[in-house]
Amino acid sequence: MKRKQLIKTCEELFTEFNPIIQTFDSFIHDTLGDCDSPEAPPDNIFIKQCLFSVVRYERGLKSFLKHFFFDNAASVLRTDYTMYMIMLTLGLFRIEELGMEEFTKFCHAQDPTKMSQFLQYTFDDADDSPVQAAIKADWCKDYDVKYVEDTLIGTITSFMGDMNSLAASLEAKALGLVAAKEKAKEAAGIPQMATKKLTVPVEPKITKPRPRRVPEPMKITNDVKVGPEPGYLYRTSLEEINKEKEKKLLEVRERTVRKYTECKEQPFNFHETRSNIEKVRQEVEQKRNSELQFESSHRKPLPDFTKRNAVVKLNAAAILREDALFKKKQAEEAKLIQNYEEELRDSTEFYRWRDDMEKHDDKMKLEQVKLKRMQAVQSSQNARDALDRQFNDNKAIADIIKEEAELMGNQRVLEEEARVMVGRQLVQEVREVEEKAPRKAEAKVFRDRQQVRKSQKENLAAAWEKKVEEDLYEKERKMDRIRQLRTHTVHKPEVKVFDPTTSAGLGLLNEMSLVEMEERLEINKNREETVVNEKRQAIVTNRAKKQEQLAQRISNIQRIREAARDSNRSARVQQKQKETEDKIRENEALERSQVILSKKLMEEREERKQKMIDLLDEEERRKKNQQFQGAATHQVEETHFDQLLLGNERAAKMRQEKAQSAAFVYEKTKITARKVVEKEAKKKQRDKAVLYAQKDLEILDKRQDLLVKNKAEVAQKKFAFSKSRMKEHEIKAKLIDRNPYAQTINNMSLTLAKTAKEDAYKSKSNVVSMLTS
């Protein structure tokens, strides 16, 4: 697939892709198939990568193109929006992977005028350029500032030279195309001269050699000749052969046994040798195994480091580090003492207050964590609401985009009608001109060519005569100069004698003789040796001073360590005592809390037990009452049944009254609901009529606005067309200024063509008049 077709395919697929309906991967799989397999076509892989980059960097691309279309509204078409987006992706985000050579080919595949203007606008690193001003600010809203400066602006800066040269070549190509169009317009209506056909070589008819006849292959017979059947096959059998085999094996075995039993020599008894190496080896291994102690916890008892001091060898860095730490502690203690002397107060209360406040801060942090959890729940709800709002906004934007697409379609139809109108007018003008202009142009060109040819011949003859005279004069001058040089040039030998005590005599600032230079070098050498010896002596003395200082610091460090060891020992004892006391207090508090808890549990248990006893007593009392009331059971049952009958009568009466009232309410509600429905229907009809009237007014207003907008856009397009026409005229004028001779020849050709056409028209009219007469 060609590069132009690749870009066109990317544009079509990007316009078809809708992220609301389908994901990017599923869309690519449906349109291009599997692009991740090794057998995938390279074109499909390129299209997928290009579309992925466009979708990924869509916000940055839209920010750039917004400024690009605003700044170049008169010379850029809105229909090329997707094409510019794809080319910006390749040139800004994927240029390092694609390479400058391939990107140049993609640019040459597009319209050179558009690409030249696009590259000049994009790769401009000046401080007042749009990329450094407005576009960079919009990019920083969407991306990180470092990414914008290092990656995006850095890519523009690094490729600016190559892109400017590419833009210059595209501009030259665009100028060539414009010149070709102008030449085609000027040559309209001029008949082309018939050209002679080129000679086509024809292959001679040479007799072809006959194919050599291949001899037939020799026949090889595959018959197998079999002789008569041998007679020894039936002399024996398989059983007899096995018996003979076993018999031979037995004979061989007996012969071998007899050979070794009847041997006269003493056999070798290797297992009865007198060597005791194996016995000694076993004894040594047992002795070594007895010394091993694998089951013990330690092979040797651990040393008691408390009985003897560890010998630690300190280097200079460790000594200086520990001395600096000691001095730092001394400075802190001196500062505390000074503060106490100056302010007459102790900072213990402050540290206690600080500990309390740290505990309070920890508590506040826990409360803040709870608050943040509640805020997280609220933020999740807000996020869901935001998603719903975004969905509604996207839907509204989609409706607006559909309306804009419809308006753009109408605008495209109007532009097409305007283009057709301009084309018809241009065709009419060409038809009016093509009858008279070519002949006049041909005649004028022929006359101009004759005059130019005549003037050029005269100028060439005069220039040739002048050149001959100048050559003769120059030749005579050179010969005269050679003769002068031969007469005046005399070579004299020079002998130079070197004197080491004298200088060259050139007048330089530090000029001296060889002897003086050697003396000064010797003096400098002695001075350097003296300086080196002094430095060595200073180094030795400094080293001795440092050794003394280190010895003093070591003694000081040992004294400090002993004091710190004693203080740490006492602090550890106090710490252990404090931990023991704290543990005792905790155990006492735990025992008290356990006693209180056990008492509380006992009270609750007693309370529940008392409640159960009360319930059992109540149940027993209820059973006794039932037994006492069993004598009047019959009378109680009769009264009970009478009350049941009266209750059923009352219930039936109440149901009847309730049903009647419900039926009355239902009928009344039905009538009211019918009136409400009729009222709502009339109200809806009125609202619908008002809404339709408002919509009609809005449609009329929008139609008028659209007409005004279309007129303004048509006027803008006309202005852009006139501006491009002026630009083409300027380009044509530049081409004429660059090559006036070609323009002169072109004008002469047009004049000759016009005159030829006029002559032909006149001859034709004369013939017609003669025929009519």
Side-chain angles (χ1 to χ4, degrees):
M1 192 181 293
K2 294 184 179 180
R3 293 176 178 82
K4 187 174 183 180
Q5 187 64 27
L6 281 174
I7 299 299
K8 191 69 177 176
T9 306
C10 291
E11 293 179 27
E12 293 174 357
L13 292 177
F14 181 75
T15 53
E16 292 176 3
F17 173 63
N18 189 358
I20 300 175
I21 299 174
Q22 197 175 13
T23 61
F24 180 80
D25 292 334
S26 60
F27 174 75
I28 292 296
H29 190 274
D30 295 340
T31 54
L32 300 177
D34 188 10
C35 297
D36 298 330
S37 62
E39 295 82 12
D43 295 339
N44 293 351
I45 296 173
F46 173 81
I47 292 170
K48 179 184 176 182
Q49 294 295 327
C50 183
L51 291 177
F52 175 77
S53 300
V54 173
V55 173
R56 181 181 179 184
Y57 305 106
E58 189 175 2
R59 297 178 66 182
L61 297 174
K62 287 185 177 179
S63 300
F64 178 89
L65 293 177
K66 177 181 69 175
H67 295 281
F68 176 72
F69 277 86
F70 180 80
D71 295 336
N72 303 284
S75 57
V76 179
L77 295 177
R78 191 72 180 180
T79 54
D80 297 329
Y81 187 89
T82 309
M83 186 269 291
Y84 284 122
M85 185 181 290
I86 293 170
M87 294 304 295
L88 181 60
T89 304
L90 296 177
L92 191 59
F93 294 96
R94 306 301 291 269
I95 184 64
E96 294 182 355
E97 300 173 8
L98 185 63
M100 191 64 199
E101 185 178 358
E102 287 295 326
F103 182 74
T104 304
K105 294 178 182 178
F106 276 101
C107 290
H108 282 291
Q110 302 297 325
D111 190 1
T113 306
K114 297 177 182 178
M115 288 294 101
S116 174
Q117 186 177 6
F118 172 72
L119 293 176
Q120 289 176 0
Y121 183 87
T122 305
F123 293 88
D124 187 5
D125 198 20
D127 295 333
D128 56 346
S129 63
V131 176
Q132 291 287 351
I135 298 175
K136 183 179 179 182
D138 288 345
W139 278 346
C140 291
K141 294 177 182 177
D142 300 329
Y143 304 109
D144 187 56
V145 178
K146 186 176 181 182
Y147 174 79
V148 172
E149 291 179 354
D150 295 344
T151 303
L152 301 182
I153 305 299
T155 302
I156 292 172
T157 306
S158 59
F159 287 91
M160 186 171 63
D162 297 335
M163 292 300 177
N164 289 334
S165 60
L166 177 59
S169 63
L170 290 171
E171 186 175 7
K173 184 178 179 182
L175 292 174
L177 293 175
V178 172
K181 289 181 181 179
E182 291 295 327
K183 188 175 180 181
K185 288 181 181 180
E186 291 173 357
I190 300 175
Q192 298 291 332
M193 301 297 291
T195 57
K196 186 178 180 180
K197 294 183 179 179
L198 299 175
T199 304
V200 180
V202 180
E203 182 182 2
K205 294 181 180 180
I206 302 174
T207 304
K208 295 181 180 180
R210 288 185 178 181
R212 185 177 179 183
R213 187 173 182 181
V214 180
E216 293 182 359
M218 182 176 61
K219 292 184 179 180
I220 299 173
T221 59
N222 295 326
D223 298 337
V224 179
K225 294 181 180 181
V226 182
E229 186 177 357
Y232 62 82
L233 294 176
Y234 301 102
R235 292 177 185 176
T236 183
S237 64
L238 186 62
E239 294 179 357
E240 293 178 355
I241 292 170
N242 291 331
K243 288 179 181 179
E244 290 179 358
K245 186 176 180 182
E246 291 177 358
K247 186 177 179 181
K248 289 181 179 180
L249 288 173
L250 289 173
E251 290 177 357
V252 170
R253 187 179 293 108
E254 290 175 358
R255 189 166 57 249
T256 304
V257 171
R258 188 167 56 252
K259 175 182 177 182
Y260 286 103
T261 55
E262 297 176 357
C263 183
K264 296 179 180 180
E265 297 178 356
Q266 180 69 26
F268 295 100
N269 297 324
F270 294 102
H271 61 284
E272 296 179 0
T273 58
R274 297 180 180 179
S275 177
N276 58 351
I277 295 175
E278 186 67 24
K279 186 177 180 181
V280 173
R281 185 179 62 81
Q282 291 179 359
E283 290 178 357
V284 171
E285 287 183 357
Q286 289 178 1
K287 185 178 180 180
R288 290 179 179 177
N289 292 332
S290 63
E291 294 177 356
L292 298 177
Q293 296 178 0
F294 291 115
E295 296 179 357
S296 62
S297 59
H298 297 286
R299 290 183 61 192
K300 294 182 180 180
L302 294 175
D304 190 2
F305 294 104
T306 59
K307 295 181 179 179
R308 58 187 180 89
N309 295 326
V311 179
V312 180
K313 185 177 181 181
L314 298 176
N315 55 8
I319 294 168
L320 294 174
R321 191 184 303 113
E322 193 164 356
D323 185 65
L325 182 63
F326 173 66
K327 288 181 179 180
K328 184 178 178 181
K329 289 183 178 179
Q330 281 184 341
E332 291 177 356
E333 291 175 358
K335 188 176 180 180
L336 289 174
I337 294 169
Q338 185 180 0
N339 291 333
Y340 183 73
E341 291 177 352
E342 291 177 353
E343 300 175 2
L344 297 178
R345 67 181 182 85
D346 193 4
S347 59
T348 307
E349 292 294 331
F350 167 73
Y351 290 125
R352 188 182 297 111
W353 171 81
R354 187 180 64 181
D355 295 336
D356 296 338
M357 293 307 295
E358 287 178 355
K359 293 179 182 178
H360 183 263
D361 292 339
D362 294 336
K363 185 177 179 181
M364 293 300 294
K365 285 180 181 178
L366 293 175
E367 293 179 357
Q368 288 293 328
V369 169
K370 294 180 182 179
L371 181 61
K372 286 182 179 179
R373 287 178 180 174
M374 295 297 294
Q375 290 175 353
V377 174
Q378 186 65 29
S379 64
S380 63
Q381 182 64 32
N382 294 336
R384 287 194 292 271
D385 297 340
L387 288 175
D388 295 337
R389 288 196 301 273
Q390 185 179 6
F391 178 76
N392 296 328
D393 295 340
N394 291 337
K395 189 175 180 181
I397 291 170
D399 297 336
I400 294 170
I401 290 172
K402 289 179 181 178
E403 293 178 359
E404 289 182 355
E406 186 176 357
L407 295 175
M408 289 173 68
N410 297 332
Q411 180 182 354
R412 198 181 300 111
V413 171
L414 294 174
E415 290 176 358
E416 187 68 23
E417 291 178 357
R419 189 179 62 79
V420 171
M421 189 183 300
V422 172
R424 287 176 180 174
Q425 186 178 0
L426 183 61
V427 169
Q428 187 176 0
E429 292 176 356
V430 171
R431 285 179 179 175
E432 292 177 356
V433 173
E434 69 180 357
E435 296 179 356
K436 299 178 181 181
R439 303 287 83 78
K440 293 181 180 179
E442 288 176 0
K444 185 178 180 182
V445 168
F446 182 72
R447 289 194 299 271
D448 293 341
R449 282 182 178 179
Q450 286 181 347
Q451 293 176 2
V452 170
R453 189 183 302 112
K454 185 177 179 181
S455 62
Q456 285 180 353
K457 284 183 179 181
E458 293 175 356
N459 293 332
L460 285 173
W464 178 255
E465 292 176 357
K466 187 177 180 181
K467 182 72 170 71
V468 171
E469 293 176 357
E470 290 178 354
D471 291 342
L472 292 173
Y473 175 75
E474 186 67 21
K475 184 177 180 182
E476 185 65 27
R477 189 182 64 78
K478 288 181 180 179
M479 293 301 294
D480 188 14
R481 181 63 179 166
I482 290 168
R483 286 192 293 269
Q484 291 177 3
L485 290 172
R486 285 177 179 175
T487 56
H488 294 289
T489 304
V490 177
H491 297 283
K492 295 180 181 181
E494 292 182 2
V495 179
K496 292 184 179 180
V497 180
F498 175 69
D499 186 5
T501 60
T502 60
S503 63
L506 299 176
L508 299 176
L509 185 62
N510 291 326
E511 191 174 287
M512 65 182 70
S513 63
L514 180 61
V515 176
E516 186 180 356
M517 183 185 70
E518 290 177 353
E519 291 178 356
R520 289 194 179 187
L521 289 174
E522 186 68 24
I523 292 169
N524 291 334
K525 186 176 179 181
N526 295 330
R527 186 185 298 115
E528 289 178 357
E529 289 178 356
T530 305
V531 172
V532 169
N533 293 328
E534 291 177 356
K535 286 185 178 179
R536 286 178 180 172
Q537 189 65 29
I539 290 169
V540 170
T541 54
N542 290 330
R543 191 175 296 168
K545 288 181 181 179
K546 287 183 179 179
Q547 291 293 334
E548 292 177 359
Q549 292 177 359
L550 286 175
Q552 292 177 1
R553 289 178 178 177
I554 289 170
S555 61
N556 191 17
I557 288 169
Q558 289 177 354
R559 181 176 55 79
I560 293 166
R561 283 184 176 180
E562 291 175 357
R565 184 169 61 251
D566 296 337
S567 63
N568 290 334
R569 187 182 294 113
S570 61
R572 282 195 298 271
V573 172
Q574 292 178 1
Q575 183 68 24
K576 287 182 180 179
Q577 291 177 358
K578 186 178 179 182
E579 289 178 357
T580 306
E581 293 176 357
D582 293 340
K583 192 172 182 180
I584 292 170
R585 283 197 296 271
E586 288 179 359
N587 292 331
E588 291 177 355
L590 182 62
E591 290 177 357
R592 287 196 297 271
S593 61
Q594 287 178 354
V595 170
I596 295 169
L597 181 61
S598 61
K599 288 182 180 180
K600 187 176 181 181
L601 291 175
M602 288 295 294
E603 291 176 357
E604 291 179 355
R605 196 178 294 113
E606 293 293 334
E607 186 177 358
R608 284 197 300 272
K609 188 175 180 181
Q610 187 65 34
K611 286 182 180 179
M612 290 297 297
I613 292 170
D614 295 340
L615 289 173
L616 291 174
D617 294 341
E618 182 67 24
E619 182 67 20
E620 187 177 359
R621 187 168 54 254
R622 188 179 62 78
K623 287 180 180 180
K624 288 180 179 180
N625 291 331
Q626 287 179 356
Q627 290 177 0
F628 289 140
Q629 292 176 358
T633 304
H634 182 70
Q635 186 67 29
V636 170
E637 288 180 355
E638 288 182 355
T639 308
H640 176 66
F641 284 118
D642 292 338
Q643 293 294 329
L644 287 175
L645 290 174
L646 293 174
N648 290 330
E649 289 179 0
R650 288 194 298 272
K653 188 175 180 181
M654 289 174 65
R655 284 197 297 271
Q656 290 177 359
E657 292 177 353
K658 190 174 181 180
Q660 290 177 358
S661 62
F664 177 74
V665 171
Y666 173 73
E667 292 295 334
K668 189 174 180 181
T669 307
K670 192 175 180 180
I671 294 169
T672 305
R674 190 181 298 112
K675 291 181 180 179
V676 171
V677 169
E678 291 176 355
K679 186 176 180 181
E680 290 293 331
K682 291 179 181 179
K683 185 178 179 181
K684 286 183 179 179
Q685 289 179 357
R686 289 195 301 271
D687 295 342
K688 194 173 183 180
V690 173
L691 180 63
Y692 285 167
Q694 292 178 357
K695 291 291 183 182
D696 292 337
L697 292 174
E698 290 179 0
I699 290 169
L700 289 174
D701 294 338
K702 288 183 178 180
R703 189 173 295 170
Q704 291 178 359
D705 295 338
L706 181 61
L707 290 174
V708 173
K709 186 177 179 182
N710 289 335
K711 288 180 181 179
E713 289 180 353
V714 169
Q716 188 178 2
K717 294 291 182 181
K718 287 181 179 179
F719 175 73
F721 179 75
S722 61
K723 188 175 180 180
S724 62
R725 179 65 62 85
M726 291 173 65
K727 190 174 181 180
E728 290 177 0
H729 286 309
E730 290 176 359
I731 293 169
K732 184 177 178 182
K734 289 181 181 179
L735 291 173
I736 293 170
D737 293 338
R738 289 180 182 176
N739 195 356
Y741 177 73
Q743 183 63 25
T744 306
I745 298 300
N746 193 9
N747 293 332
M748 291 170 64
S749 301
L750 291 174
T751 305
L752 290 174
K754 290 179 181 178
T755 53
K757 187 173 182 180
E758 289 178 357
D759 294 339
Y761 180 73
K762 288 179 181 178
S763 61
K764 185 177 180 181
S765 61
N766 292 331
V767 171
V768 171
S769 62
M770 289 172 64
L771 291 174
T772 52
S773 63

